[in-house]
Amino acid sequence: MIWVAATLIAAIAQTGRNAAQAGLGARVGTVGATSVRFIFGLPFAALFLLLLSPFTEIPRPNAAVLGFTAMGAGAQIAATAFMLLTMRGQSFGVATALMKTEPVTLALIGAVILSEPLGAGRLGAIGLATLGVVLSSGAKWSRAGLVPIANGIAAGALFGLSAIGFRGALLALPEGGYFIHALTVLVLTLTIQSAAMLTWMLAADRRALRGIMGEWRVSMAAGALGAFASLFWFIGFALTPAANVRTLALIEVVFAQVVSGRILRETTGRLQLAGMALIVIGVGWLLVVAAG
């Protein structure tokens, strides 16, 4: 199953992009650090599409493609804003866990907007893996406030809406294979997002714009990794419902826990171990359902 390999590649590349962006926030601000994935990712995606153009026909986006892409691009920017809000206060773990409920909202939104079947097996697998993430997060639910919870739910729902927008755009393209579809929608998405972020920074945050230009080496690395990760996310979205892709991606939580335990020597509690087990079972269940 190509979508499985594409999802795992995307998750690994996204981890690299996050590492590249890690120190940017303190130097260029949150808006600047967020924008580099779009602004510096666009040249790489556009160049790749240009290089492929002599060898394959580039699909022509219609009104439906543009509408779905704009919805996905806008929802992703808004989701990122809510995600940044969750990083404040003592309820970070709670809000982060709630953001990982994205596969559930994805399945529900996909059923409504794209008429994708839910199915008891698929819903059960998604729910089990999502519960595993919540348990393995180690969140202190007793300290949770309504605002962090609301921000986390909003971020998860908006990330889900963005993925539905991207899948809708991919399905609406009239001709071509899944790879050229993914690359075309990626270029459209990054163009919209770059234009929006540049407009905002020129109007309200020129310091951030000067900052990312001054940090161009790190920004280029983050942009290249971000574009690479997004391309493989879109390949996954082109081949299977977005909820399947995002549920499989939850396996990165297990990888992160293993790394933190083996390399950083951090202890893992019983509840976290139970959560990791539920993630593995849920992802395995989903793969069986998808294969059938």
Side-chain angles (χ1 to χ4, degrees):
M1 291 184 288
I2 298 174
W3 73 269
V4 174
T7 300
L8 295 176
I9 292 171
I12 294 171
Q14 182 167 288
T15 302
R17 185 206 71 201
N18 292 340
Q21 282 182 285
L24 277 178
R27 300 195 296 272
V28 303
T30 53
V31 173
T34 300
S35 68
V36 296
R37 61 179 293 194
F38 310 131
I39 297 172
F40 288 88
L42 176 59
F44 291 99
L47 178 61
F48 194 16
L49 185 63
L50 182 64
L51 292 175
L52 284 182
S53 60
F55 307 102
T56 186
E57 184 177 357
I58 307 300
R60 298 179 180 179
N62 51 36
V65 174
L66 294 175
F68 273 119
T69 302
M71 182 182 82
Q76 190 175 58
I77 291 175
T80 302
F82 277 102
M83 181 183 71
L84 294 174
L85 288 174
T86 66
M87 295 180 179
R88 302 174 182 175
Q90 295 182 336
S91 299
F92 173 74
V94 172
T96 301
L98 289 170
M99 279 192 294
K100 292 296 185 180
T101 60
E102 176 193 355
V104 176
T105 59
L106 256 175
L108 298 176
I109 296 171
V112 174
I113 296 180
L114 301 179
S115 300
E116 293 179 336
L118 292 174
R122 186 161 165 256
L123 274 178
I126 292 171
L128 194 64
T130 302
L131 176 61
V133 171
V134 173
L135 293 178
S136 64
S137 68
K140 305 294 184 182
W141 294 96
S142 60
R143 300 179 184 176
L146 290 177
V147 173
I149 289 176
N151 288 338
I153 292 174
L158 285 166
F159 275 125
L161 184 63
S162 71
I164 290 298
F166 299 143
R167 175 153 169 83
L170 290 161
L171 295 177
L173 280 171
E175 70 278 331
Y178 63 85
F179 187 86
I180 196 63
H181 278 193
L183 187 56
T184 300
V185 173
L186 175 61
V187 171
L188 286 174
T189 300
L190 292 177
T191 298
I192 293 170
Q193 292 172 326
S194 296
M197 297 304 294
L198 282 171
T199 300
W200 172 260
M201 286 189 291
L202 284 170
D205 198 351
R206 294 190 180 185
R207 181 181 178 182
L209 182 58
R210 290 192 297 268
I212 63 174
M213 294 305 174
E215 298 280 351
W216 64 270
R217 290 182 179 84
V218 178
S219 297
M220 289 285 282
L225 285 168
F228 184 77
S230 294
L231 175 60
F232 281 90
W233 285 129
F234 285 12
I235 289 173
F237 294 157
L239 295 171
T240 191
N244 291 353
V245 174
R246 291 305 199 195
T247 302
L248 176 58
L250 294 178
I251 199 69
E252 70 177 290
V253 176
V254 177
F255 296 156
Q257 291 283 359
V258 171
V259 169
S260 65
R262 291 292 182 88
I263 299 178
L264 302 179
R265 303 299 180 183
E266 295 179 355
T267 58
T268 302
R270 293 181 179 179
L271 198 60
Q272 290 173 298
L273 288 173
M276 291 164 62
L278 290 179
I279 294 172
V280 173
I281 295 170
V283 168
W285 185 4
L286 176 70
L287 294 177
V288 171
V289 171

